[in-house]
């Protein structure tokens, strides 16, 4: 029985004793051991009543078992829904309810809270701890090391990844097996991954970057990953000698550049550093090159589309650009008003089409229709141009989005929380430059007449409702928000006014 995702990424490694995961203590897990682990988990999922097409939501720390849960879902035909470990109970409730998940896997410490959330829809709760303990693995222990792979086709859903929305409501991006496989295939080729590669993996595995770009590419190439629980400079320096490649967000690279140990000698054996999820400053690219001799390869993608463009492996990796459309991906620049294609060199909205583009938003046909055209082009919400040499440059965003340390934050979601607070008439949330996170969140508040909002109480309310990375790092109180003649808040004016708040942070 065929299951393209499982067969192509995982199943083909059956019986291989080549290393797949290299763990922080330098111990190794072979492909075969990893497949046995995931087969046992798949057995447990099925024994628990999960069927192909059911959704499994997971908010769990990064570990080999957590990654094996992704493989188990692929093998059992279950749709994998990974969730940021920073999300609060309030945020989780929406994802679990909206996706109609049949099973939720969480950290043992969060079991009670999760049961409160999941019970409303009859979802089963299992636990998986950082050390691999918990009810999921207890259940898996009793299962055999092999599992009969569920039949799936390439158009079946593989994963549901929630992206925040401009209206404050998150949308579940439906990613098919084909979306994931076509992209992994093209990236392996374009970036020359092979079975000798050892990828230094310190990204989280609940987003496209760490889960699909890094992991699927390694699996498809048959290489190994040094699988670190998170980005930590000392751990990176310790494990770098064994790596051949590293993928990161710009914050990884600015932090490494602050470390005097990170130099030519430490990186001379490396064959590739890639960057994405947020803009890499040309200054960072240049500094990195001067320090190490390596030109970081910048690429551009989205949750909805996987990777769209990449700088070339051979040839000029140009700072400040995201390179060329990947083979099989069509990219055009259009007029945001008319949707007509613009000539080369003009700035417009970026639209992409190809096997990489998702199937739409989960149970949101209107939202899907707003962004995914009938002819298959997806309107990314990013603004850019194609330069004279064919390189794509992203020059801004048509969407109101902040990217902090590679995490997307939609201001609307925070404004909704701020607006509810006592003494607050209205608010505007903006992103301003930050030396470590690239951008960070600032909340601008207008008090109700005669009231003085209590900043501490507001921050406490934000902590309750929102993940830590979304919290405003500063609150500013103004008598009124700048507006244009149409009454629309001029966030650009605010961004300019407060642009250097963190300049010396
Ligand atoms: C952690 N904090 C953050 C962030 N991360 N605040 C703002 N933005 C963040 N990204 C909070 C922590 O909770 C902590 O709060 C404080 O900031 C400082 O913690 P620190 O120790 O510096 O954090 P960290 O653990 O070092 O995390 C920073 C990080 C991490 C390493 C940059 O955020 C990270 O790994 N980012 C990668 C994100 C990513 O993979 N994005 C891909 C999605 P307190 O004040 O309480 O101490 S986008 C994608 O997939 C698309 C498709 C694409 O193109 O790739
Ligand atoms: P996400 O919704 O988390 O998938 O984030 C996708 C968004 O990240 C894109 O729409 C871009 O705005 C941004 N992004 C990803 N890669 C890059 C890059 N290399 N340069 C600039 N922005 C990027």
């Amino acid at each position: 029985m065929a299951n393209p995702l499982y067969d192509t990424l995982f199943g083909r490694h059956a019986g291989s004793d080549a290393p797949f995961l290299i763990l922080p203590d330098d111990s190794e897990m072979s492909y075969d051991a990893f497949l046995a682990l995931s087969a046992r988990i798949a057995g447990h999922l099925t024994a628990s009543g999960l069927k192909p097409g059911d959704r499994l939501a997971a908010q769990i720390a990064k570990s080999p078992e957590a990654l094996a849960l992704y493989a188990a879902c692929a093998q059992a035909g279950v749709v994998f829904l990974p969730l940021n470990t920073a999300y609060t109970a309030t945020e989780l409730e929406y994802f679990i309810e909206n996706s109609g998940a049949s099973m939720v896997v969480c950290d043992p410490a969060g079991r009670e809270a999760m049961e409160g959330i999941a019970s409303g829809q009859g979802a089963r709760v299992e636990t998986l701890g950082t050390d691999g303990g918990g009810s999921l693995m207890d259940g898996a222990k009793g299962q055999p090391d092999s599992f009969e792979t569920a039949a799936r086709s390439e158009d079946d859903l593989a994963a549901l990844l929630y992206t925040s929305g401009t209206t404050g409501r998150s949308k579940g991006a439906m990613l098919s097996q084909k979306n994931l496989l076509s992209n992994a295939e093209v990236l392996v080729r374009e970036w020359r991954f092979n079975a000798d590669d050892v990828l230094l993996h310190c990204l989280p595995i609940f987003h496209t970057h760490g889960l699909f770009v890094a992991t699927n590419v390694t699996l498809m190439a048959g290489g190994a990953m040094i699988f670190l629980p998170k980005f930590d400079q000392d751990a990176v320096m310790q494990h770098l000698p064994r790596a051949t490649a590293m993928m990161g967000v710009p914050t990884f690279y600015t932090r490494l550049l602050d470390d005097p140990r990170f130099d030519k000698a430490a990186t001379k054996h490396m064959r590739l550093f890639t960057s994405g999820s947020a803009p890499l400053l040309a200054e960072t690219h240049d500094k990195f090159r001067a320090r190490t001799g390596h030109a970081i390869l910048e690429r551009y993608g989205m949750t909805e589309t996987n990777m769209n463009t990449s700088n070339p492996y051979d040839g000029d990796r140009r700072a400040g650009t995201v390179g060329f459309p990947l083979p099989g991906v069509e990219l055009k620049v259009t007029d945001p008003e008319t949707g007509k294609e613009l000539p080369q060199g003009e700035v417009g909205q970026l639209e992409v089409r190809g096997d990489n583009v998702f199937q739409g938003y989960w149970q949101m046909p209107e939202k899907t229709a707003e962004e995914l055209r009938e002819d298959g082009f997806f309107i990314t919400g990013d603004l850019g141009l194609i330069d004279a040499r064919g390189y794509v440059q992203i020059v801004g965003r048509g969407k109101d989005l902040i990217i902090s340390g590679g995490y997307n934050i939609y201001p609307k979601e925070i404004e909704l929380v701020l607006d509810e607070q006592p003494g607050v008439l209205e608010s505007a949330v903006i992103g301003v430059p930050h030396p470590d996170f690239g951008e960070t969140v600032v909340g601008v508040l207008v008090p109700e007449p005669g009231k003085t909002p209590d900043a501490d109480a507001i921050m406490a309310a934000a902590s309750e409702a929102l993940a830590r990375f979304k919290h405003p790092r500063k609150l500013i109180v103004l008598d009124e928000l700048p507006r244009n003649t149409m009454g629309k808040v001029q966030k650009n004016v605010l961004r300019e006014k407060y642009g250097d708040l963190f300049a010396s942070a």
Side-chain angles (χ1 to χ4, degrees):
M1 272 198 277
N3 176 328
L5 185 73
Y6 183 80
D7 299 344
T8 314
L9 294 183
F10 302 101
R12 62 200 270 245
H13 300 296
S16 161
D17 56 13
F20 171 44
L21 298 179
I22 299 163
L23 300 168
D25 64 358
D26 286 321
S27 63
E28 294 180 3
M29 182 180 276
S30 70
Y31 269 99
D32 203 44
F34 180 80
L35 294 185
L37 175 65
S38 67
R40 290 195 294 272
I41 300 175
H44 178 57
L45 300 185
T46 305
S48 306
L50 287 191
K51 295 192 186 50
D54 286 349
R55 275 79 57 215
L56 179 149
Q59 189 191 34
I60 43 180
K62 184 175 173 183
S63 67
E65 290 80 8
L67 194 66
L69 181 58
Y70 162 53
C73 286
Q75 193 167 20
V78 168
V79 180
F80 188 54
L81 193 179
L83 292 163
N84 193 322
T85 46
Y87 288 147
T88 63
T90 317
E91 290 166 312
L92 289 175
E93 200 165 352
Y94 170 77
F95 299 123
I96 291 164
E97 193 260 329
N98 183 265
S99 65
S102 309
M103 183 182 280
V104 186
V105 185
C106 66
D107 189 85
R111 174 162 211 141
E112 208 174 310
M114 195 63 87
E115 265 167 356
I117 294 170
S119 60
Q121 62 190 66
R124 182 183 171 120
V125 176
E126 295 272 10
T127 59
L128 178 61
T130 321
D131 58 357
S135 67
L136 183 80
M137 298 315 298
D138 289 344
K141 264 183 209 130
Q143 296 291 330
D145 284 351
S146 63
F147 176 85
E148 191 174 335
T149 305
R152 298 259 87 189
S153 83
E154 60 174 16
D155 289 322
D156 282 325
L157 275 195
L160 197 56
L161 259 60
Y162 277 80
T163 72
S164 300
T166 41
T167 55
R169 282 271 94 150
S170 287
K171 299 166 285 184
M174 298 191 288
L175 294 157
S176 70
Q177 294 208 348
K178 180 162 65 189
N179 295 150
L180 303 185
L181 285 174
S182 64
N183 215 235
E185 210 166 74
V186 91
L187 294 178
V188 167
R189 247 191 351 257
E190 291 296 299
W191 296 347
R192 312 275 197 278
F193 269 84
N194 63 60
D196 294 329
D197 269 310
V198 179
L199 179 77
L200 188 55
H201 192 305
C202 35
L203 288 156
I205 54 167
F206 42 70
H207 280 309
T208 295
H209 198 163
L211 186 63
F212 301 142
V213 184
T215 305
N216 289 356
V217 162
T218 303
L219 284 162
M220 195 166 268
M225 296 196 284
I226 302 170
F227 204 59
L228 302 180
K230 61 177 289 219
F231 178 84
D232 171 272
Q233 256 154 270
D234 288 338
V236 168
M237 293 312 301
Q238 184 194 331
H239 292 280
L240 201 55
R242 199 169 168 188
T244 63
M246 175 172 174
M247 296 182 188
V249 297
T251 300
F252 289 10
Y253 297 124
T254 51
R255 288 187 182 181
L256 285 171
L257 283 171
D258 280 340
D259 191 324
R261 294 172 296 176
F262 190 75
D263 59 10
K264 255 197 186 91
T267 57
K268 83 171 180 302
H269 63 288
M270 292 289 281
R271 108 180 150 75
L272 182 66
F273 290 93
T274 71
S275 177
S277 308
L280 181 77
L281 295 180
E283 181 199 328
T284 310
H285 182 102
D286 295 343
K287 254 173 108 177
F288 199 95
R289 187 171 218 160
R291 174 86 71 83
T292 66
H294 290 280
I296 297 176
L297 183 155
E298 187 171 7
R299 74 354 173 239
Y300 157 63
M302 288 184 77
T303 302
E304 289 91 332
T305 63
N306 295 285
M307 298 305 101
N308 295 311
T309 72
S310 170
N311 266 282
Y313 188 84
D314 296 315
D316 198 4
R317 298 179 195 163
R318 292 184 61 204
T321 82
V322 292
F324 307 109
L326 287 164
V329 179
E330 293 171 80
L331 180 143
K332 61 182 183 179
V333 180
T334 64
D335 181 327
E337 301 297 319
T338 62
K340 289 227 169 67
E341 189 162 358
L342 292 170
Q344 177 262 316
E346 283 191 26
V347 174
Q349 62 185 6
L350 300 180
E351 298 192 24
V352 293
R353 179 166 73 180
D355 284 346
N356 56 315
V357 174
F358 76 145
Q359 292 186 334
Y361 295 114
W362 176 255
Q363 292 179 342
M364 289 186 183
E366 305 84 21
K367 293 271 171 220
T368 303
E370 279 169 24
E371 294 175 38
L372 191 56
R373 295 188 192 279
E374 268 174 25
D375 64 4
F377 272 98
F378 176 68
I379 305 166
T380 61
D382 292 309
L383 301 176
L385 58 83
I386 302 175
D387 72 15
R389 291 169 61 188
Y391 286 75
V392 177
Q393 292 178 23
I394 298 174
V395 300
R397 296 175 201 136
K399 52 194 173 191
D400 193 13
L401 167 71
I402 300 167
I403 306 182
S404 168
Y407 287 145
N408 282 10
I409 302 166
Y410 276 91
K412 186 79 196 166
E413 196 184 349
I414 304 165
E415 288 162 4
L416 289 173
V417 173
L418 297 181
D419 289 349
E420 272 179 5
Q421 302 313 310
V424 175
L425 180 67
E426 61 172 349
S427 66
V429 167
I430 54 167
V432 300
H434 188 275
D436 185 31
F437 291 130
E439 282 182 304
T440 198
V441 180
V442 170
V444 182
L445 304 174
V446 176
E448 281 171 353
K451 301 264 173 69
T452 309
D454 177 345
D456 290 342
I458 291 176
M459 288 311 293
S463 309
E464 187 70 15
L466 302 165
R468 173 74 185 122
F469 68 89
K470 299 178 190 170
H471 297 177
R473 291 304 199 253
K474 201 161 188 79
L475 288 177
I476 289 165
V477 179
L478 285 186
D479 289 342
E480 59 180 4
L481 297 174
R483 291 183 190 274
N484 65 15
T485 48
M486 307 291 287
K488 193 170 179 304
V489 177
Q490 291 171 302
K491 290 201 170 176
N492 53 330
V493 172
L494 292 173
R495 278 192 288 264
E496 208 160 296
K497 188 161 175 196
Y498 299 111
D500 58 3
L501 270 183
F502 295 90
S504 58

